[in-house]
Amino acid sequence: MNADLEHTTSTSYSPLPDADNHRHPSSSIRRRPITLLSGIFLSMLFFSSLIALILNQHNQPHQHDSRNKESSYAKPVSRGPQQGVSEKSNIELASSDVEDTYPWTNAMLSWQRTGFHFQPPKNWMNDPNGPLYHMGWYHLFYQYNPDAAVWGNITWGHAISEDLINWFHLPFAMVPDQWYDINGVWTGSATILPDGRIIMLYTGDTNEEVQVQNLAYPANLSDPLLLDWIKYPGNPVLVPPPGIGTKDFRDPTTAWLGPNGKWRVALGSKVNKTGITLVYETTDFTSYELLENLMHAVPGTGMWECVDFYPVSTTESNGLDTSVNGPGIKHVLKSSLDDDKHDYYALGTYDPISSKWTPDDPELDVGIGLRLDYGKYYASKTFYDQNTQRRLLWGWIGETDSEAADILKGWSSVQTIPREVVFDKKTGTNVLQWPIKEVEKLRSKVTVYQKVVLEPGSLVPLDVGLATQLDIIATFEIDKEAVKTSVEADVGYNCTTSGGASSRGAFGPFGLVVLADEKLTEQTPIYFYIAKGSDGVAQTHFCADQSKSSRAPDVTKLIYGSSVPVLHEENFSMRLLVDHSIVESFGQGGRTVITSRVYPTKAIYSAAKVFLFNNATGVTVTANVNVWNMDSAHMDYFPFLNLER
Amino acid sequence: MESRNTNKMKISSPLTILFLLFLLQQTLLSAMADIQLIKNTCKGTPSPDLCLKILLAEPKSQNADLTGLALIGVDAVNNKGLEILKQIVDLKKSRPELRPALDQCAEVYHAVVEADVPSSRDALRGGMPKFAEDGMADSAVEAQVCERRFGEHGHASPMTGSNNVMHDAANVVRAIIRMLL
């Protein structure tokens, strides 16, 4: 608009040839050109003001694609992640009802802390960073606020473990003390070079709030604890390239070797609303060249955060080093979408010559297809564990209660139990995630239920003792013939919108209820629901229902889940890791995974129970369940370092 | 003599007048444009009048983009929080019987000023609005928490006005932040 004005008025700016030269005393002669020009100018002024007024009526502050903002104030129930609404937004914006905040007691809040999931002793945590294995120790770094249970002052926390289950807290690895990371030492990844050197690339938020990439490395590579880190004096090593926004350039990946012997590193970004992955080449990790080709781009997905890129074997069951390529290998490209706060991935092929990645199924491309986890889960990152040859996956699990409760309890967020990631050879279309085997060392007592027959409407309590820390594996058999021959159709079943575990269909829901009190006034059902589409094909859904998980009004009560492939000869199987306020649910061996945060007020401590249930109306289900009680993991400050503050 | 006349002529020359008129026009239109942004932004908040009051009180709002407006809002929440903390100190002296509730109010308002405001501010400046929302959501809730404490101790609240303003202001700023998501 302003440009138009400048254009129109500039024509009136061509110097008047006679203006300064004439000193004619006759005022009338002088007045004519002035009058004429003023007239022209004033009418242009009037005209352009009119245009500006009209344009301003249409000027909206919100430049994004429209989401129905007005209705979000009225609705008490979140429209869910599908519509890009973050979990926290289901809490009333317009309401000033005092009842909306629950009077949490200390007993309720302290119960919420997990027994065997990684979390620092207090304060805020978010993304996992630079996971690696070195000299007998697994290292985890993480985004951390040393001062409060809300995001801010971001520092790299550091912890080590011999088994990925029991952890020692170490001093901060990096703090925001340089101009290039003074506003935050943000997310990064580790690359272990063939000669054993460790390269850490991470995003720094500079003193002018520009996102840059920095290099750091251990001060002493023979220190198994990797206590001290040196920031490369020549930082930053990468700044936003032309065409990339200064706030759209972050989260460098682990590097992999290209065909020319140079290293390659990827970074997510966006151009308008297209999410993209940039690739840089380097030999020394201090100077880089941006490759002309983007690795990949998907329109409409917005900013790509925490990009992850790694090979999986389609034939073997071990993990692969990030640089491996060749036959019998597919590449996973994963991205955390800023716009909807979920982690998406796709399987595809990486062409090292062009450095382009192509999805196996463009309809299920990154950001529009499969999610790594259908619950509360973000900023995940894998690493190659060369010790055991596994590809291991970390994921950040934020809170879904109120920030006020987080401040009261003094902490916010946990990490998942690390998951082993492998290609699903049986379906060929997804990966499998499974809790690392080391978690089984926490199993103590097991209670076994065999061939429990669940008629329609059954609810069977399982007597397992203390039910707040459990590892449950359950399989369910139904008469598949009954499903096949039935004409019943549940058109468009969707975990999120179809009403949860109390919504009964012919062939579902059936499964387990955890963190429930005896009378089930609070309950968290995890279940299968078999729907028959209008095409007559049965589709199984795996859901986690938080809608009745707590009587408190200020916690998220969504129902998470997705369809899950079930092969002809398979029974329905689920594994649950129940650990106080977190439940990790794995359907069909990890084909579909859901992480939930739950905050019961009654179903806590010894009042928490477990049930089997079958709410289907048309089919009997036979269940086999193993329930292990889980000991707590050890998590403490590393001794002799005087760390407790 | 002649040169003085020349100078006078230059000031009142058509070119100068046109230039000044042009400047005036640009200023007027630019101001109009930004007031329109402010008006439209406030329309999308739960308390449009309060929103206008907050934003228009800061002259920099005329030239601010949406992130800038959100930052002005966060500053306003911060100022109100500091004001309330002073109010609490005074009340502890004038109404000692309300001490237990006032102590709890002080605690939550310290959280607002020391944790929530910096968190929202840093997140907005760093281009991470999704982390900025939490701080303002919490500020609104803490105002309610403080207000409720008086009833729990069997007293009428002497801070209802302040708590309501904080609650509404924080929700306004939260709404602005959500427009950035």
Side-chain angles (χ1 to χ4, degrees), chain B residues 92-111:
Chain B
K92 280 193 203 175
K93 292 185 202 138
S94 62
R95 305 282 306 274
E97 75 279 14
L98 298 178
R99 256 219 117 97
L102 289 168
D103 282 342
Q104 290 172 317
C105 283
E107 207 180 303
V108 301
Y109 275 107
H110 274 295

Side-chain angles (χ1 to χ4, degrees), chain A residues 497-640:
Chain A
T497 56
S498 295
S502 51
S503 198
R504 308 183 66 177
F507 309 114
F510 58 88
L512 286 158
V513 189
V514 298
L515 296 171
D517 57 320
E518 217 161 42
K519 299 218 161 62
L520 287 112
T521 61
E522 291 178 334
Q523 47 169 283
T524 301
I526 317 284
Y527 57 89
F528 290 103
Y529 191 106
I530 306 163
K532 237 183 156 181
S534 44
D535 54 357
V537 176
Q539 192 178 55
T540 308
H541 298 260
F542 182 56
C543 320
D545 180 359
Q546 278 80 233
S547 62
K548 297 192 183 76
S549 58
S550 174
R551 289 188 308 179
D554 52 352
V555 300
T556 295
K557 303 220 182 129
L558 298 171
I559 305 162
Y560 303 135
S562 161
S563 60
V564 58
V566 177
L567 300 179
H568 176 68
E569 66 280 10
E570 288 176 354
N571 285 326
F572 302 91
S573 70
M574 64 167 77
R575 180 175 180 184
L576 309 184
L577 291 177
V578 179
D579 188 4
H580 297 262
S581 60
I582 184 172
V583 181
E584 293 188 59
S585 307
F586 299 81
Q588 295 308 104
R591 273 187 201 135
T592 294
V593 187
I594 310 170
T595 304
S596 312
R597 299 303 309 275
V598 290
Y599 307 92
T601 64
K602 272 199 81 175
I604 59 179
Y605 299 108
S606 51
K609 309 280 175 219
V610 186
F611 298 80
L612 274 169
F613 82 102
N614 176 16
N615 259 358
T617 56
V619 74
T620 295
V621 178
T622 308
N624 292 295
V625 196
N626 284 8
V627 182
W628 287 268
N629 296 89
M630 296 290 269
D631 291 336
S632 293
H634 284 115
M635 290 190 209
D636 204 351
Y637 295 102
F638 196 86
F640 316 123

Side-chain angles (χ1 to χ4, degrees), chain B residues 11-178:
Chain B
I11 287 166
S12 58
S13 83
L15 206 56
T16 316
I17 292 172
L18 282 165
F19 181 66
L20 289 169
L21 279 169
F22 175 66
L23 268 179
L24 177 67
Q25 173 207 250
Q26 293 291 58
T27 312
L28 280 171
L29 283 162
S30 161
M32 271 168 49
D34 294 306
I35 288 180
Q36 204 55 45
L37 171 65
I38 294 171
K39 279 193 185 152
N40 286 335
T41 303
C42 288
K43 263 186 225 157
T45 69
S47 312
D49 290 338
L50 177 60
C51 173
L52 283 169
K53 188 165 163 227
I54 290 172
L55 294 180
L56 294 175
E58 170 55 63
K60 288 195 196 135
S61 65
Q62 309 282 337
N63 295 319
D65 59 6
L66 202 53
T67 299
L69 294 180
L71 281 164
I72 291 170
V74 170
D75 281 345
V77 165
N78 186 45
N79 291 336
K80 189 68 192 168
L82 291 168
E83 195 186 297
I84 290 175
L85 282 168
K86 281 203 201 105
Q87 185 188 8
I88 291 171
V89 169
D90 292 339
L91 280 169
K92 280 193 203 175
K93 292 185 202 138
S94 62
R95 305 282 306 274
E97 75 279 14
L98 298 178
R99 256 219 117 97
L102 289 168
D103 282 342
Q104 290 172 317
C105 283
E107 207 180 303
V108 301
Y109 275 107
H110 274 295
V112 166
V113 161
E114 285 153 30
D116 290 330
V117 161
S119 178
S120 292
R121 191 184 280 141
D122 291 350
L124 282 167
R125 289 201 187 131
M128 303 232 155
K130 69 179 171 220
F131 288 129
E133 187 187 352
D134 288 358
M136 290 298 105
D138 185 53
S139 301
V141 167
E142 302 296 7
Q144 287 178 346
V145 168
C146 163
E147 185 66 11
R148 213 181 9 192
R149 289 284 175 256
F150 294 100
E152 284 167 10
H153 287 90
H155 295 287
S157 162
M159 292 176 61
T160 305
S162 296
N163 284 331
N164 282 347
V165 170
M166 171 57 79
H167 172 270
D168 292 346
N171 274 336
V172 158
V173 184
R174 182 188 183 181
I176 299 175
I177 292 169
R178 288 191 57 72

Side-chain angles (χ1 to χ4, degrees), chain A residues 15-205:
Chain A
L16 306 163
D18 296 322
D20 285 276
N21 296 337
H22 272 234
R23 298 209 183 114
H24 208 289
S26 160
S27 55
S28 63
I29 296 173
R30 229 188 298 137
R31 230 180 275 131
R32 236 184 287 126
I34 296 171
T35 314
L36 182 63
L37 279 147
S38 304
I40 292 170
F41 181 75
L42 282 167
S43 44
M44 273 191 247
L45 175 70
F46 174 72
F47 187 55
S48 45
S49 306
L50 208 58
I51 295 174
L53 255 170
I54 293 166
L55 285 172
N56 270 319
Q57 298 299 355
H58 297 295
N59 187 19
Q60 293 302 321
H62 183 59
Q63 299 302 328
H64 299 184
D65 288 339
S66 64
R67 292 173 197 150
N68 199 353
K69 291 256 168 272
E70 278 64 57
S71 65
S72 71
Y73 301 139
K75 283 189 179 204
V77 175
S78 169
R79 285 168 289 121
Q82 255 73 356
Q83 300 198 33
V85 174
S86 89
E87 275 79 13
K88 291 245 194 298
S89 71
N90 73 328
I91 295 165
E92 279 296 3
L93 291 185
S95 159
S96 44
D97 294 345
V98 176
E99 299 83 53
D100 265 358
T101 52
Y102 190 78
W104 295 99
T105 65
N106 280 334
M108 293 170 191
L109 292 177
S110 48
W111 175 88
Q112 291 171 9
R113 221 168 145 82
T114 67
F116 55 92
H117 280 73
F118 178 81
Q119 50 182 136
K122 58 179 182 175
N123 290 345
W124 166 278
M125 166 173 65
N126 54 293
D127 306 4
N129 298 149
L132 61 93
Y133 176 85
H134 175 75
M135 290 177 72
W137 293 95
Y138 289 97
H139 290 257
L140 174 69
F141 305 90
Y142 53 94
Q143 300 281 277
Y144 180 67
N145 185 349
D147 301 329
V150 295
W151 182 91
N153 313 307
I154 295 295
T155 301
W156 269 38
H158 186 188
I160 54 173
S161 169
E162 289 176 295
D163 56 10
L164 292 162
I165 297 294
N166 299 290
W167 292 88
F168 288 110
H169 298 298
L170 293 181
F172 302 140
M174 291 194 282
V175 300
D177 59 2
Q178 303 298 317
W179 69 267
Y180 50 77
D181 61 18
I182 193 82
N183 278 315
V185 185
W186 288 356
T187 291
S189 308
T191 305
I192 304 184
L193 303 185
D195 63 11
R197 276 183 297 155
I198 295 172
I199 297 289
M200 197 69 86
L201 288 173
Y202 72 96
T203 300
D205 194 27

